[in-house]
Amino acid sequence: MFGSGSSDSGQNHSEVAGTVLMPTRFVWPYGGRRVLLSGSFTRWQDHIAMSPMEGCPTVFQVVCNLTPGYHQYKFFVDGEWRHDERQPFVSGNYGVVNTIFLPREADAIPELFGSDVPDRSNMDVDNDFLRLDAVPQISQAEIELSRQRISAFLSTHTAYELLPESGKVIALDVNLPIKQAFHILYEQGISVAPLWDFCKGQFVGVLTAIDFILILMELGNHGSNLTEEELETHTISAWKGGKLRLNRQIDCNLNSYSRSLIYGGPYDSLKDLALRFLQNKVSTLPIIHSSSPDGSFPQLLHLATLSGILKCICRHFKHSSSSLPILQQPICSIPIGTWVPKIGESSGKPVAMLRPNASLGAALSLLVQAEVSSVPIVDDNDSLLDIYFRSDITALAKDRAYAQIRLDELSIHQAIQLGQDASSPHGLFNGQRCHMCLRSDPLHKVMERLAVPGARRLVIVEAGSKRVEGIISVTDVFRFLLGC
């Protein structure tokens, strides 16, 4: 319901001079015409007006700047005092009230998720790294303690915390020609769109970049019955219905596309959403709400991602008194991610990498078969040059490039160039597309970088040479944090 955060409209309800004030968000998600907040921080005299969230008129919120310490509060909803039964509460002089404890600065984790950390989603990585022999080994008990605290946070916060204050979500009709859908995603700068079936009156699926990858692979198949001209009339529904006959190499991957829509509701806990991501192996989860008991007239509120949930974790524990020992550990000291085996080590799951002269067809096949969102592009020394993302496929809609190329003749180097703005002064290997980290980076730093929209995977590189040592994904982080 509440959590540490920042707001330009935050209200100051403290009279203690020289005390650091902590922006704290309060949420009343149960509807009403007029909702007010009052508490010990207003001496139970002043009432603070709460505002409905854009797109969610039944959810009211306000951000208050509070002093560290223990506070009590209550909601005044349409003339009646109410408390949130889903949050901690006690009986006091003012009846049943909710409680919140904000740690003092000395009690908090020292700026694990600092907002002043410069953006390093490019090729610049630290050459200064932690001495691993100076890091104490963490016990299994400490790992479990951290997991319990993170799990408790995720269980008590809902999908409403993922909703932006404003924004738009694009949905496509299932009867739209697949070619037109391809161009819409490119023009809107997105790679995912929920699908709406007008006849059924409901959302029935999601169109993703992997769909276009499979379609282009089918177009490139010499035995295919699908032609570029047929994309003018071939609908999304026809594609999703399985009317396309794919070759045997990708048949097993198409089975997952016939399943029902995987989605979440605004009242679902963040933990439930995270588990739904992991169990169904999806990268995007539509948040859909219907005020009707039968689920009719659904409203599409948001497209949730694991990165968004991770951002909530980073924001909440930035000033938390509940120390999480695991966050300080370097990623090489905990079982997380996929690593390039050293000489003499038994190899586990391989790290998929390609050279820049590899064909686009090889890259697309690798993305489908390995079920990954991106592939590192490396030189002959396995030093990172660039990354080819699954979402890069939509760039081929530019000037109908997909109709003028052959997947086995176009290199990854050329494919990335096709997607770049012609006016950009940067070349292919300018590094602005690469998200990296070092094996010595603590987990909290890795989490902070993966919380950036679009950074689903970090390439672990060697300091200086940028030789690829492994890959850690946002899915890896959640599997570790939740003990899956």
Side-chain angles (χ1 to χ4, degrees):
M1 183 183 103
F2 50 77
S4 298
S6 60
S7 172
D8 294 336
S9 59
Q11 302 184 40
N12 186 346
H13 296 283
S14 170
E15 298 179 358
V16 182
T19 301
V20 175
L21 299 179
M22 303 179 65
T24 305
R25 186 161 72 106
F26 294 87
V27 178
W28 175 259
Y30 309 114
R33 293 186 300 275
R34 187 165 184 254
V35 181
L36 305 173
L37 173 71
S38 187
S40 55
F41 42 87
T42 67
R43 296 191 176 93
W44 297 102
Q45 296 175 358
D46 298 331
H47 295 346
I48 306 168
M50 302 182 71
S51 303
M53 292 179 62
E54 184 174 343
C56 301
T58 60
V59 181
F60 293 76
Q61 67 174 352
V62 69
V63 176
C64 301
N65 292 325
L66 306 185
T67 57
Y70 179 79
H71 300 280
Q72 295 182 347
Y73 61 95
K74 208 166 183 175
F75 301 94
F76 195 61
V77 183
D78 297 337
E80 180 183 353
W81 285 106
R82 303 276 298 276
H83 72 280
D84 189 344
E85 295 182 352
R86 296 187 181 183
Q87 302 301 327
F89 60 87
V90 296
S91 295
N93 297 333
Y94 296 90
V96 180
V97 297
N98 290 116
T99 62
I100 178 177
F101 177 75
L102 300 177
R104 298 186 184 280
E105 188 174 0
D107 299 330
I109 299 176
E111 290 301 325
L112 290 186
F113 304 102
S115 58
D116 56 347
V117 176
D119 178 19
R120 291 193 317 210
S121 58
N122 52 26
M123 290 287 284
D124 296 326
V125 296
D126 295 331
N127 288 322
D128 301 328
F129 55 91
L130 185 65
R131 287 186 55 192
L132 299 183
D133 55 0
V135 178
Q137 289 295 318
I138 190 169
S139 66
Q140 187 63 33
E142 289 176 308
I143 293 178
E144 292 304 321
L145 176 63
S146 298
R147 285 173 171 169
Q148 290 172 10
R149 288 173 174 169
I150 291 175
S151 179
F153 164 74
L154 293 176
S155 298
T156 55
H157 290 70
T158 67
Y160 271 122
E161 300 209 17
L162 302 177
L163 305 185
E165 293 184 0
S166 62
K168 66 178 180 178
V169 181
I170 296 174
L172 302 177
D173 191 285
V174 291
N175 292 318
L176 195 70
I178 198 74
K179 179 179 178 180
Q180 187 176 348
F182 196 6
H183 284 271
I184 289 175
L185 293 196
Y186 169 70
E187 292 166 358
Q188 295 296 325
I190 58 177
S191 59
V192 178
L195 300 176
W196 173 258
D197 190 318
F198 180 78
C199 296
K200 296 180 179 179
Q202 62 185 20
F203 294 97
V204 295
V206 176
L207 190 70
T208 69
I210 199 70
D211 285 299
F212 293 113
I213 289 176
L214 295 174
I215 288 171
L216 291 183
M217 292 176 70
E218 174 68 3
L219 284 172
N221 180 14
H222 296 294
S224 172
N225 294 321
L226 180 66
T227 64
E228 196 271 332
E229 289 77 16
E230 288 176 326
L231 292 182
E232 296 278 1
T233 57
H234 203 81
T235 65
I236 299 174
S237 178
W239 165 255
K240 288 291 188 178
K243 294 182 179 179
L244 295 178
R245 294 165 49 186
L246 300 179
N247 60 52
R248 294 181 180 179
Q249 289 183 339
I250 56 179
D251 260 349
C252 59
N253 291 278
L254 199 59
N255 291 335
S256 61
Y257 290 90
S258 61
R259 64 188 177 195
S260 59
L261 173 66
I262 308 299
Y263 67 96
Y267 296 105
D268 292 343
S269 73
L270 294 181
K271 183 175 181 180
D272 287 341
L273 292 186
L275 292 175
R276 214 165 296 167
F277 274 109
L278 300 181
Q279 293 164 358
N280 294 282
K281 297 182 178 180
V282 294
S283 59
T284 304
L285 206 65
I287 303 299
I288 299 174
H289 175 66
S290 174
S291 55
S292 303
D294 60 355
S296 58
F297 306 106
Q299 295 180 330
L300 178 62
L301 303 180
H302 183 57
L303 294 181
T305 63
L306 281 177
S307 294
I309 300 177
L310 192 61
K311 185 176 182 179
C312 288
I313 295 176
C314 295
R315 182 173 62 240
H316 179 79
F317 287 103
K318 177 181 177 181
H319 295 295
S320 175
S321 60
S322 301
S323 176
L324 300 177
I326 193 62
L327 296 183
Q328 298 286 10
Q329 292 295 304
I331 55 173
C332 65
S333 68
I334 53 180
I336 191 171
T338 303
W339 296 80
V340 175
K342 295 181 179 179
I343 298 176
E345 289 183 347
S346 58
S347 59
K349 183 179 178 180
V351 175
M353 297 183 286
L354 289 173
R355 301 285 187 262
N357 59 353
S359 71
L360 177 59
L364 299 185
S365 296
L366 189 57
L367 288 171
V368 172
Q369 294 168 4
E371 297 182 325
V372 294
S373 61
S374 61
V375 178
I377 311 302
V378 298
D379 63 16
D380 292 338
N381 296 317
D382 288 344
S383 293
L384 186 65
L385 298 174
D386 209 298
I387 299 177
Y388 188 81
F389 296 91
R390 190 167 55 195
S391 56
D392 285 336
I393 197 67
T394 58
L396 294 183
K398 181 180 181 182
D399 301 325
R400 294 178 60 253
Y402 59 85
Q404 307 167 32
I405 64 171
R406 293 182 61 88
L407 299 183
D408 56 350
E409 295 178 357
L410 187 73
S411 71
I412 301 176
H413 184 143
Q414 295 168 325
I416 296 177
Q417 283 185 320
L418 282 175
Q420 288 185 327
D421 187 351
S423 63
S424 173
H426 303 290
L428 168 65
F429 302 130
N430 58 71
Q432 294 184 355
R433 298 155 39 87
C434 298
H435 302 271
M436 298 180 294
C437 66
L438 301 176
R439 63 187 295 115
S440 56
D441 282 341
L443 180 58
H444 73 79
K445 183 180 292 186
V446 169
M447 290 169 59
E448 187 179 50
R449 293 179 184 175
L450 285 172
V452 175
R456 287 186 47 81
R457 306 175 91 205
L458 296 183
V459 181
I460 307 168
V461 299
E462 181 182 55
S465 70
K466 295 185 175 63
R467 182 184 178 92
V468 175
E469 296 188 314
I471 290 178
I472 183 170
S473 68
V474 66
T475 300
D476 294 331
V477 170
F478 273 91
R479 289 196 183 280
F480 175 73
L481 294 179
L482 297 179
C484 298

